[in-house]
Amino acid sequence: MTLSELHDLYHQPVFQLLDQARAVCRANWPDHAIQLCTLLSIKTGGCSEDCAYCAQSSRHHTGLAREELLGLDTVLAHARRARASGATRFCMGAAWRGVREGTPKFAQVKRIVSEVAKLGMEVCVTLGELTERAAAELKEAGVTAYNHNLDTSPEFYPNIVTTHTYADRLRTIRAAQQAGLDVCCGGILGMGETVGDRLRLLEILIGFDPAPESVPINCLVGIDGTPLADAQPVGIFDLLRMIAVTRIALPGTKVRLSAGRSYLTKEGQALCFYAGANSIFYGGKLLTTPSPTEDEDLALLRELGLTPLEPKKACLNDLQKAALTVTAA
Ligand code: SAM
Ligand code: DTB
Ligand code: SF4
């Protein structure tokens, strides 16, 4: 699909666009189950990079305390809780420019990953830049997906980040793909970019080979002390159009309604699911900011008659499979 076709899709009347997105969604995701992904910041704050939206950059005065890499037991306790609450994916984030191969910290991350992987959830990490070798080591440890967002168009990116480049981001994504990791790559709406920038990002995502396994669509969470603290919030129909076009352009990809969900009404979220979103961050907290609670999310899904995605039986150990069989009987 070309950039001009993406524009044509995007600028149709909303109901016409929703009809098309719905048709693609029904054909590719007939049961439209919603994937529940729980996030945990395993290394918070003190990041060297200057990403204008980020609470964790040491270049901004956001009042966020810098923390050390969490220990294995702490992370495992969070991961077990997430699984018990119904999450099927556990995503761990680190406020790093990138991974430093061969360091004790990277060794600790791999150990954390290998233990979390035993719980039977998909394991996603987002650790910044990655070499092919580091990507292969993460895969070997049990990582299933690597999150590395391009955030916006290559043309707008230098307005948002100056300490690394779009090409650096693309290199990491290729390294993750080379290692056979699923790639989770998306963007942020509401940083002052145009609709054209958002569709340019989508054009680039469509060009990935293989296609991204998931695309998180974040709405900017304005963080006090960052240059984007007072940016204009994204309108619901802009978000809706972007989700619908992403669903049509990447039919087999999970589209995750990501940061900023707590600013949406229940009706707004319902429309986003209708437009093709089939994944959310679940668990009351993103990395450093709040998001809807588990109870609120489960209540909303119930009200809408949507079901959470079930854990893949292949991922479960014998005890968990037995538990599922009992529940089903
Ligand atoms: N340091 C790693 C990196 O940059 O890839 C991983 C962590 S970083 C916080 C992960 C992603 O979270 C960013 O790429 C961005 O898309 C998203 N994000 C961070 N702060 C955000 C905010 N205030 N609002 C919306 N999305 C945000
Ligand atoms: C993604 O696209 N969004 C998540 C996850 N991937 C790592 C992070 C959102 C962060 C929102 C701001 C915060 O909590 O600091
Ligand atoms: Fe935040 Fe990641 Fe940028 Fe660091 S590299 S400032 S953690 S988005």
Side-chain angles (χ1 to χ4, degrees), residues 47 49 51 53-54 57 95-96:
C47 183
E49 302 307 284
C51 311
Y53 49 78
C54 189
S57 164
W96 285 335

Side-chain angles (χ1 to χ4, degrees), residues 53 94 96 126 128 148-149 151 169 188 218-221 223 259 287:
Y53 49 78
W96 285 335
T126 180
H148 202 63
N149 290 341
D151 285 335
R169 301 293 285 183
I188 307 180
N218 297 280
C219 294
L220 178 75
V221 178
I223 309 277
L287 292 173

Side-chain angles (χ1 to χ4, degrees), residues 118-139:
K118 292 180 188 158
L119 300 179
M121 293 177 287
E122 292 176 1
V123 182
C124 178
V125 288
T126 180
L127 312 170
E129 277 176 25
L130 215 56
T131 60
E132 278 187 25
R133 178 155 154 218
E137 290 181 18
L138 287 172
K139 167 93 179 166

Side-chain angles (χ1 to χ4, degrees), residues 3 13 31 35 70 133 141 146 176 190 193 209 223 229 234 269 316:
L3 187 56
D31 56 358
Q35 181 191 42
L70 297 182
R133 178 155 154 218
Y146 199 76
E193 76 289 347
D209 183 17
I223 309 277
V234 178
Q269 293 184 66
L316 301 177

Side-chain angles (χ1 to χ4, degrees), residues 39 41 43 47 49 51-56 92-98 125-129 146-152 157 164 169 172 186-189 191 216-223 226 228 258-260 263 281 286-289:
L39 263 176
S41 179
K43 161 68 190 81
C47 183
E49 302 307 284
C51 311
Y53 49 78
C54 189
Q56 306 198 68
M92 292 169 274
W96 285 335
R97 179 195 167 109
V125 288
T126 180
L127 312 170
E129 277 176 25
Y146 199 76
N147 167 247
H148 202 63
N149 290 341
L150 287 169
D151 285 335
T152 187
Y157 198 69
H164 57 257
R169 301 293 285 183
T172 291
I188 307 180
L189 314 184
M191 302 188 293
I217 300 187
N218 297 280
C219 294
L220 178 75
V221 178
I223 309 277
T226 64
L228 295 177
S258 301
Y263 302 119
F281 285 124
L286 296 165
L287 292 173
T288 68
T289 61

